[in-house]
Amino acid sequence: MSQVRHILSASQFNRAFLDRMYRLTNKIRQFDKSKEGLHYLQSLLPHKRAMLYFTQPSTRTFLSFQSACHILGMKNSEIRDAATSSERKGESIEDSLRTFSSYVDLIIMRSPVRGLCDKMAQLLDQTDRPIPIINAGSGPDEHPTQALLDVYTLERSFKDSGGIDGKTICMVGDLKRGRTVRSLSRLLTLYKNVRLVFASPSEFKIENDLRLFLKSAGVEFLETADFRDSLALSDAIYMTRIQDEYDLAAGESGKVDSSEFYLRAEHLKIMKSSAVIMHPLPRRNELDPAIDNDPRAKYWRQERNGMWTRVALMTTLLGVDEKILLPEL
Ligand code: NCD
């Protein structure tokens, strides 16, 4: 799988690829512990340039990709608003992307449009500069690199209790339009005997395509509105925000009472003492900051893991991953 060209969907990964990413990420974190190690990482890709094309809001994904570029010695350029590029003058997205490919070696893109990354990857593949594209969030559809960092965080959290295999993982909130949930659920089908619990108001249940995907993968899953019960039986709780930016009518999400699905400090006592609490962030009211100091809260670690897993992914895409796995420290 080190032949991988673009990162478009979580469903393109297999278990061997995930295990390799896990090993690579751990090794990268060891390099981070010394000045020599950091200099070594910076010497891997100083001849490469990346373009961050983010036309949807982002804090963590943008900064962690940008920091990952810096860790590897790569330069990066950015567009964060299509209104500041020639798209404003009427240039098509196809022509804009092709233009970026003239200047850089990798495009990392986030867009509100479902399927746009796939379309752009196909287009670039037909040109004489078929550079890789990484999907950093494609509308309400997919967020494959978030799923990689989520799986890495779960692996680390369960490293002394047999790993992810056999665990019950509960996802909570807007499961209909939350792309992190959609990508993570797909990745979790690669582990053995994982049980998924989807806890949400009925308006925000998972979409049928995901339901069918899980059924065909033979994964046991439960859709429920019983948040308290779900908390008590789960090894990991993955909280998410209501994705009201995708409302078809203004204020639509506000009409749904989601407060039953907020994780509050009082819930901590009904959760397993070994449970893991995660959130892709940003959070609103669904995750009480009073929980931040509980040892089970892993979301700040999860956000930092995003940077390391993205370093690992870029070394794989740009062919220097062996230079991380091989040398002894
Ligand atoms: C998520 C996203 O953009 O999908 N954020 C992130 O990338 N960490 C989740 C969200 O915005 O709710």
Side-chain angles (χ1 to χ4, degrees):
M1 212 60 183
S2 60
Q3 273 15 310
V4 62
R5 295 232 339 103
H6 306 288
I7 303 298
L8 301 173
S9 160
S11 43
Q12 77 188 77
F13 303 127
N14 59 26
R15 178 73 184 265
F17 182 86
L18 294 185
D19 290 347
R20 188 179 162 87
M21 289 298 294
Y22 181 64
R23 275 189 290 128
L24 256 174
T25 308
N26 281 343
K27 195 81 191 277
I28 288 161
R29 292 179 60 194
Q30 276 177 275
F31 280 112
D32 173 60
K33 289 194 196 324
S34 71
K35 198 163 122 189
E36 294 72 24
L38 277 166
H39 282 156
Y40 180 70
L41 291 175
Q42 276 175 17
S43 75
L44 294 178
L45 290 169
H47 53 298
K48 295 286 184 187
R49 295 180 301 278
M51 168 88 201
L52 293 155
Y53 176 74
F54 275 56
T55 56
Q56 222 185 3
S58 176
T59 302
R60 273 149 287 269
T61 308
F62 182 88
L63 286 175
S64 61
F65 265 118
Q66 190 182 46
S67 304
C69 287
H70 297 166
I71 288 169
L72 290 166
M74 287 173 80
K75 323 275 180 305
N76 71 275
S77 42
E78 63 181 65
I79 287 185
R80 298 209 64 174
D81 183 353
T84 65
S85 81
S86 281
E87 281 180 74
R88 185 61 182 262
K89 300 186 205 164
E91 184 168 59
S92 68
I93 177 76
E94 286 84 358
D95 285 0
S96 294
L97 258 287
R98 192 160 178 173
T99 301
F100 304 156
S101 75
S102 299
Y103 306 128
V104 298
D105 307 290
L106 168 69
I107 295 174
I108 302 158
M109 76 182 271
R110 166 172 288 197
S111 141
V113 184
R114 190 193 290 266
L116 186 64
C117 286
D118 307 65
K119 213 170 128 190
M120 293 305 124
Q122 276 175 24
L123 178 105
L124 286 187
D125 281 348
Q126 288 155 25
T127 70
D128 57 358
R129 287 215 22 102
I131 63 169
I133 290 196
I134 300 180
N135 178 359
S138 49
D141 188 26
E142 281 251 25
H143 197 348
T145 65
Q146 177 75 37
L148 287 178
L149 77 93
D150 291 340
V151 160
Y152 178 77
T153 305
L154 287 167
E155 281 269 20
R156 297 269 310 166
S157 305
F158 297 140
K159 77 174 182 331
D160 299 324
S161 60
I164 297 174
D165 292 340
K167 297 293 189 294
T168 298
I169 294 155
C170 174
M171 313 214 198
V172 188
D174 190 341
L175 311 179
K176 184 182 172 70
R177 304 169 297 183
R179 55 194 174 195
T180 63
V181 166
R182 290 171 56 78
S183 290
L184 177 58
S185 301
R186 288 191 154 90
L187 272 203
L188 289 171
T189 63
L190 300 175
Y191 292 82
K192 292 196 195 82
N193 303 323
V194 162
R195 289 203 325 144
L196 299 180
V197 178
F198 295 110
S200 72
S202 59
E203 291 82 352
F204 299 133
K205 285 169 81 166
I206 58 169
E207 290 279 17
N208 209 33
D209 66 333
L210 182 58
R211 220 170 266 132
L212 294 174
F213 184 91
L214 296 173
K215 280 189 186 148
S216 70
V219 171
E220 191 184 331
F221 68 96
L222 167 76
E223 294 179 65
T224 177
D226 193 334
F227 183 48
R228 287 184 74 87
D229 257 18
S230 313
L231 287 178
L233 61 89
S234 297
D235 299 298
I237 317 293
Y238 190 94
M239 298 298 299
T240 68
R241 165 182 78 83
I242 301 302
Q243 310 280 308
D244 50 6
E245 62 267 48
Y246 300 112
D247 280 357
L248 297 174
E252 193 180 42
S253 297
K255 296 196 184 113
V256 179
D257 181 8
S258 303
S259 59
E260 281 286 299
F261 298 86
Y262 289 0
L263 189 64
R264 306 174 205 272
E266 76 213 40
H267 289 128
L268 290 170
K269 58 182 180 300
I270 59 172
M271 290 171 52
K272 291 187 183 182
S273 59
S274 58
V276 174
I277 304 168
M278 292 171 59
H279 194 307
L281 301 174
R283 70 172 152 196
R284 290 181 186 157
N285 297 329
E286 71 280 354
L287 179 59
D288 187 345
I291 293 172
D292 290 9
N293 293 327
D294 189 278
R296 291 168 285 185
K298 301 288 183 224
Y299 30 94
W300 298 113
R301 197 171 297 177
Q302 181 186 354
E303 124 179 318
R304 189 160 161 82
N305 286 342
M307 182 173 74
W308 300 124
T309 46
R310 287 169 174 136
V311 172
L313 187 67
M314 292 203 294
T315 62
T316 305
L317 277 185
L318 297 173
V320 291
D321 46 340
E322 291 294 333
K323 292 191 175 172
I324 295 200
L325 287 176
L326 290 181
E328 284 305 314
L329 293 182

